[in-house]
Structure formats: structure tokens, C-alpha cells
Amino acid sequence: MKKTLKYMLLLTTVVGIMAGCKRDDDYIKSTPSNFIANFDLRRLYKNVDLTLKADMLGGATSIKGVVISDFRSGNSPAGLVIMQNARIVGNGIDSLRGMALNIGADASKYIPGDSIHVTVDGATLKRVNGVLQIVGITDAAVTKIAAGRALRTQAVNTARISASPDFYESTLVTLSNALYEPEPVAGTTYAGDKIINDGFGTATVHTEATASFANAQVLPTGNFTGIPFIDRTGTTPKITLWIRSEDDFFFVALPKFSSAIISGYNVDPNGGDGNFEYIQFLCTRDIDFTATPYSVITTNNAGATVFPVNGWITGGARTYKFNLTTGSVKKGEYFYVGGTGRRVTGSTSLPIPDEKWRASVNYSNTAGANGVGTATSNLLANSGNIAGIAIFEGTNVTSTTVPLDVIFYGGSGGNFYSAGPPAIGYRITNTEYYSTINPLTRGAQLFMGAGTNTTRLPFPNPTTNFVRLGGVYGEIPGAPQFGRWSTGRTATGVPLTITTPFTVIETDGTSLAN
């Protein structure tokens, strides 16, 4: 037995040695790609002119991508072909990146959708007038492979571009629900530099005086598609957006002014949720709720397995309704909707004055207004699936009623939207985060989860209880029936204790522009 074991050990050792001595021919051979992605090429640039050689590009000598620049309307940076490409990088990383190619007058030969291969071996990667570009090549280095390729456009906001300029420079983007600052007077044209604000920051829309649409009159607000270039010389990146033609602007009507906006919420009071959760609103105009009632509906999609067929009035465990029918609030004042606990954070904390409450219901043992919602111990979700809050004008809310203001927060689950037909879900309105018009397809997108309506604010940090939304809201000068966010809301956690006075949650919050 011992001898047999000895032979078995010897055989195992020999096999192991043979496996460790594989010949080169036993391995799969691979050849380095001739192409390097813009994602990798841009990472090589370290703010110093870089001569491109195959040895530093992993053996690559070329780049390839789809042209997004367009000279046909006369509004594209002289001499530059702008192209973008992407590659799979894993971990959910979006690798779409752009690159400018300086080839001189021949740049005008190429139009959006052209697929090109470009030899860059020996060329130089450098910044010229702030724009990262490849110089030292001619049209001879460019080979057009195909035409009519689909263009990928990113729907972003100015804050995202400023935070990650290398991600978006020289790509095709759309800024949604932006308006000119100052408001254009009658006869204002595209020509020159015009400032737009999308609620998250500003960008300069540049139009050459010789562009075919330079003398066309602008409309006050809409979606702007174009190629951004970013000046990094100041403390804050400055975005210049080149729209390529008049068709790169799409008019979107301004949203209806909301007399009350969602400014904060407490989803996890100390000591438990039952009857102590609440929502804070800022009054933007004087409201007499006795004469002009409103309603507030929350949605909590915990454990949801079906879609909300009736949207905000689905009821049951999905949505809960409050009617606001008594009292009044002055412009600039905060008011609250929630449980009858009426305290800052749980049963042992300090009170929020009674006069500040426009609706308080013991939701832990009482059904929602008009039968929308069953009694619940968890009105506002504090973990898990998507949750939301909406305010409506009037109390007769139906599945087709559009809210005045709406926000969503939390996770991505909960069966909250189905494209149908018919489409099912929670209706949105035009805010800093949501749009009823898809900025990429220009089609309707009326629900949370449809098209680009995907923004969800985060759950509050466990060490903070109140979520302050901040932002600046106001009516449009000269058009008081319309309102907009000149500074979009962002969620900030406010730590609360049982000794925190209510004035803390009304400090440094949402403000009014006028």
C-alpha cells in the first residue's frame, strides 16, 4: 500500500512539472489592436504636449469613431473634425469620449454619422485654445469607412459637465429645460455668445456671425444639443456649447408655476416611523387653502410586485393622500404635511408649531384622503425601492392629473413604470430633474422611469434625519404663470436630535428668486 502511494505521488509530481513546462506554441497568440479608444487616449494626456507613438499606445497607430461635427450650417470650430467613440470597460463605466482632429479646411468634408479611421502615429496630442485635439495630421490620415451611422447623444446638465469635463468635452450632449439669461428681448438672434441656465449652472451658446441661422430669432427656453468645449483656466470650468444648426434647439414650454414646492422631508424619525414622518413645503405665493385646496400624495413601493395602474391614486400600500383644505400660508413661509406627532424627529423631540401644519393625519391607523391609501406605519420609505412625493392643485386627483411639483428618491426597484401600451406609472411635471419631453428623441415621456426621467435622490444618511433640498425657485419675469428652478435642488442631510428646534430645518433651505 505504501509503495502504491509512493508511485501515485511521483506520478502527480511528473504531471505537474510537465504542465509547468508548456511551450510558447501551446498558448493562444493575440495581436495588439491597431486602434486605441478615445477613453484611453485622453487618459494619456498629462497637460503636456504628447507625441503619439505605437509603443505608448499599446501597439495602436490609429483611432476610429463617428463624426459629430457639422459645417453645413457654418457653425463648427474651424479646421476641426469632432468624433466620438466608446469601448467596453466593465463595472458600469461609460467610456464614451470625444476627440477633436485638426486637419484644416478639409474638416468640412465630413458630416455627422460618418464613420472614420484616422492614423495618428507621429501626431501630437495637445490643447489648443483650451480644446484637447490631435494636431500634425492632414486629410490623408483620415479614411471614411461608412456614412449614416447612428449618433449617440448624452442628456446631461451643466453641473455634471463641470464636474467631469474630460468625460463630456467634444461629445454630443443635450442640455434640457434651459433658458437664456437675461431673458431675450424681441428680435434677439443666435449670433454671438448667449448665456443659458439649466438649473444646475450656466453655459455659453456660441454662434458664428456667418452661420446660416445666426440671424434667426431665439425662443426663450428649450433643449439645446451641441458639442461642449470647456475652459479650465478659471476656478470654475466655463462651458461653451456649439450648436451645429438651428435644429439643435428644440422649444419646450415652461412649466406651470407652482405655488408650493417640496423643500424637505423626514423619512426616519428617532424612535420609529409611525405617525412622525413629515414633508416640508415652501410657499411661493400666498395661499388660502380654504379657497384654493391642494393635495399631497406619497408613494412607497416597498415589496411592490405589480405596476401602479392608477398612478398616484393607486392607493393600498402604494400611495397615500392628504387633502389641504384649511388655513393659509404667506409667500416665503414653510408649511408641513404628515403625521399627527408634529415633532422635529420622533415622540421625545421638540414640536413643530401647530400653526405650521396644513394637514396632519395619524397615518398609522387612518386611511388616506378620498380612500387613496391604507393605514401604514411607514409613510415615507427609508430604504429599498423607489419612493416619491407629489403636490397637486385641487383634491380631485385622477390617474391623468399632472402634479405641480414632484421628487423621487431611493432605489430603482418597485415595478413603478411600464412602457405598455398603455404606459403605467407615476406622472411627472417639468422640474429641474424631470421633463415631459425626451431631450434625445423629442417624444413624450410623461412618467417617472420613462426615457430620461430616471433621477432619484439618495436615501438620507443613517446619521441624519431631515433631508434639506435647497435650490432657488421663482416665476419667469414677464410670465408669472410659469416657474422654474434657477438653481436645482440637491439633497443635504441635516442631523437631528431630540433637542433640535424646528428652526434648524427652516435654515439655509430652499429660497425664492423673486
Side-chain angles (χ1 to χ4, degrees):
M1 182 69 179
K2 290 182 178 180
K3 183 178 292 185
T4 302
L5 180 60
K6 178 179 179 180
Y7 286 137
M8 290 178 65
L9 290 172
L10 179 61
L11 178 61
T12 301
T13 301
V14 171
V15 171
I17 293 172
M18 292 178 65
C21 296
K22 295 182 74 173
R23 300 167 299 173
D24 289 344
D25 290 345
D26 294 325
Y27 292 95
I28 298 174
K29 293 183 178 180
S30 62
T31 302
S33 172
N34 288 330
F35 299 96
I36 183 171
N38 290 343
F39 177 88
D40 299 302
L41 188 57
R42 295 185 72 95
R43 294 170 70 185
L44 293 174
Y45 182 74
K46 306 299 181 185
N47 296 317
V48 177
D49 293 1
L50 180 66
T51 301
L52 303 177
K53 294 294 185 182
D55 57 353
M56 72 171 62
L57 305 181
T61 57
S62 303
I63 60 174
K64 59 182 177 180
V66 178
V67 173
I68 58 174
S69 53
D70 192 347
F71 286 82
R72 289 174 295 183
S73 293
N75 205 53
S76 198
L80 298 183
V81 174
I82 316 295
M83 53 84 80
Q84 62 184 24
N85 62 36
R87 73 170 178 83
I88 298 174
V89 293
N91 297 321
I93 297 174
D94 191 339
S95 68
L96 183 73
R97 298 291 186 272
M99 184 61 68
L101 312 172
N102 196 327
I103 64 170
D106 287 320
S108 61
K109 294 168 46 177
Y110 302 95
I111 64 173
D114 284 349
S115 174
I116 59 173
H117 290 182
V118 186
T119 302
V120 299
D121 188 37
T124 300
L125 186 64
K126 64 183 300 183
R127 286 203 178 277
V128 180
N129 297 325
V131 180
L132 186 63
Q133 54 191 266
I134 296 174
V135 302
I137 57 175
T138 65
D139 186 50
V142 183
T143 302
K144 178 177 173 180
I145 303 300
R149 294 291 173 85
L151 301 183
R152 177 179 167 187
T153 307
Q154 302 177 94
V156 297
N157 59 51
T158 51
R160 286 175 59 187
I161 296 175
S162 294
S164 304
D166 283 328
F167 286 23
Y168 299 107
E169 181 181 70
S170 298
T171 64
L172 194 60
V173 305
T174 295
L175 301 177
S176 306
N177 295 325
L179 58 75
Y180 288 99
E181 291 187 343
E183 180 186 8
V185 299
T188 300
T189 66
Y190 282 96
D193 290 337
K194 304 289 189 298
I195 304 298
I196 60 171
N197 185 324
D198 67 350
F200 294 90
T202 61
T204 299
V205 175
H206 176 79
T207 306
E208 297 281 279
T210 54
S212 62
F213 59 96
N215 295 322
Q217 293 190 33
V218 302
L219 294 174
T221 183
N223 299 339
F224 294 78
T225 297
I227 302 172
F229 301 105
I230 298 96
D231 182 352
R232 299 166 171 82
T233 56
T235 55
T236 302
K238 179 183 178 183
I239 304 166
T240 298
L241 185 73
W242 288 64
I243 61 174
R244 302 160 302 167
S245 68
E246 193 174 2
D247 190 56
D248 273 345
F249 171 82
F250 182 72
F251 173 72
V252 177
L254 290 167
K256 182 179 179 180
F257 184 86
S258 180
S259 297
I261 50 178
I262 304 162
S263 56
Y265 45 91
N266 188 338
V267 305
D268 194 16
N270 289 325
D273 301 339
N275 204 29
F276 290 97
E277 297 163 279
Y278 58 85
I279 308 156
Q280 181 194 75
F281 295 86
L282 179 65
C283 196
T284 61
R285 283 182 184 160
D286 295 353
I287 304 177
D288 179 353
F289 290 100
T290 303
T292 309
Y294 285 71
S295 52
V296 170
I297 303 179
T298 65
T299 174
N300 183 337
N301 295 280
T305 57
V306 297
F307 296 107
V309 176
N310 291 313
W312 288 104
I313 62 166
T314 295
R318 300 293 291 274
T319 65
Y320 192 95
K321 183 170 182 276
F322 298 84
N323 286 341
L324 285 58
T325 58
T326 60
S328 61
V329 183
K330 295 293 185 181
K331 177 180 177 179
E333 294 180 346
Y334 291 102
F335 67 90
Y336 297 85
V337 172
T340 55
R342 297 189 179 191
R343 292 182 178 271
V344 173
T345 181
S347 61
T348 60
S349 65
L350 297 177
I352 298 173
D354 289 348
E355 63 268 20
K356 286 186 167 286
W357 290 82
R358 295 282 62 83
S360 60
V361 176
N362 189 338
Y363 54 80
S364 66
N365 60 24
T366 305
N370 303 116
V372 178
T374 55
T376 176
S377 61
N378 189 18
L379 178 72
L380 302 171
N382 52 38
S383 64
N385 291 338
I386 194 170
I389 303 164
I391 184 168
F392 298 83
E393 188 172 22
T395 58
N396 184 27
V397 179
T398 71
S399 62
T400 61
T401 305
V402 176
L404 290 171
D405 190 26
V406 60
I407 62 101
F408 291 90
Y409 65 93
S412 59
N415 291 309
F416 59 91
Y417 171 69
S418 171
I424 295 171
Y426 302 110
R427 289 186 181 271
I428 54 87
T429 189
N430 291 319
T431 72
E432 75 274 51
Y433 289 116
Y434 311 111
S435 176
T436 56
I437 300 295
N438 188 314
L440 304 181
T441 66
R442 300 182 177 180
Q445 50 177 34
L446 306 179
F447 300 90
M448 174 60 182
T452 62
N453 291 325
T454 59
T455 298
R456 304 178 309 280
L457 300 174
F459 284 116
N461 186 292
T463 62
T464 62
N465 297 101
F466 182 74
V467 177
R468 176 189 292 139
L469 293 183
V472 180
Y473 183 82
E475 62 185 36
I476 303 299
Q481 70 274 31
F482 300 121
R484 72 179 300 272
W485 291 92
S486 56
T487 301
R489 288 168 287 191
T490 55
T492 301
V494 180
L496 302 177
T497 69
I498 60 174
T499 60
T500 301
F502 81 92
T503 52
V504 169
I505 62 176
E506 295 190 354
T507 302
D508 299 326
T510 307
S511 60
L512 301 180
N514 42 46

